[in-house]
Amino acid sequence: RKDKQDNAKSPDRKVLPATPLRADKLNAIDADVTLNAKRILRPKALAIDDLSARLTLDEGQLKLTPLRFGYAGGDITSNIALNARQHPYRVALDTRFSKLRLNELFPTVDWSKNSVGLLGGRLDLTSHGDTVGAMLGGANGKLELVTSGGELSSLLLEAIGLDGAEIIKYLVGRDQRSRLRCGVAVFDVREGRATSEQLVLDTDDTRIDGHGTIDFANETLSLTFDPKPKDVSIAVLRAPLYLAGSFGAPRFSVDKTTLLARGAAAVGLGLITPLAALIPLIETGPGEDANCQALLAQARKK
């Protein structure tokens, strides 16, 4: 059992499916199939409500137009085309996310239940390969996600900002919500490497700017998030956060250099007077509101 747990957390463990597709057999079949499933028996972690699809197959060319999932109170609708006449197989994917509820995206995650709002977006990719992993590892296109309005868990935001005083307040009392002004994530995908063009999450309390890459070919992450609280607070150890590592064992970490610098300053000033030790830990609220109207308008234009 321990070996299985170690393998599950291994950084070398591959997550993307590597089983070869036997799509060449599709050349011998023609089909036109429609499926409507009003209820899905699923694991609790998946918020799939229903499913509808139309599949057509004509001399090795498979199309799912559309493949629609009812998910998290909204819809995920895809148009998928796979050409098995060529080897490696060619694939085109155009997926739209519409009105997904933030508090239902991850049913088994407690903090998400205190977040309210809607998420939309689009994934538009073309690629080739014999496995799902190879197709994602060589994909080209765009990934765009946008959210506007709603609320996020304040405990989550304060934890990201490493605001000790605020975290204690919410843990002692009840978790509250911060108004979500907007969130935009735009990634350009080239040869399986997704590079951020825009990555902003803005609430009344905190603005979080991010940047980095997601490498599907190597199944690795390298993302940096810089939280900027907008309010004045004490006991703040704000520092950039990193999400890095492999898909099989991703890890969150904090910029230790920034934390050590603030901590050392607090200790040094504490030798002069205990109250002075709080000075490096006081956040004056440098975060500014994002221009949500411009960000959302740009996302709609795309």
Side-chain angles (χ1 to χ4, degrees), residues 14-34:
K14 297 299 182 182
V15 174
L16 299 179
T19 303
L21 301 175
R22 298 299 301 274
D24 51 302
K25 294 185 177 181
L26 299 179
N27 290 289
I29 305 172
D30 289 341
D32 189 337
V33 180
T34 300

Side-chain angles (χ1 to χ4, degrees), residues 122-143:
R122 182 179 184 183
L123 176 63
D124 188 3
L125 298 175
T126 59
S127 189
H128 59 277
D130 297 336
T131 70
V132 173
M135 290 175 181
L136 288 174
N140 295 287
K142 284 279 188 181
L143 168 61

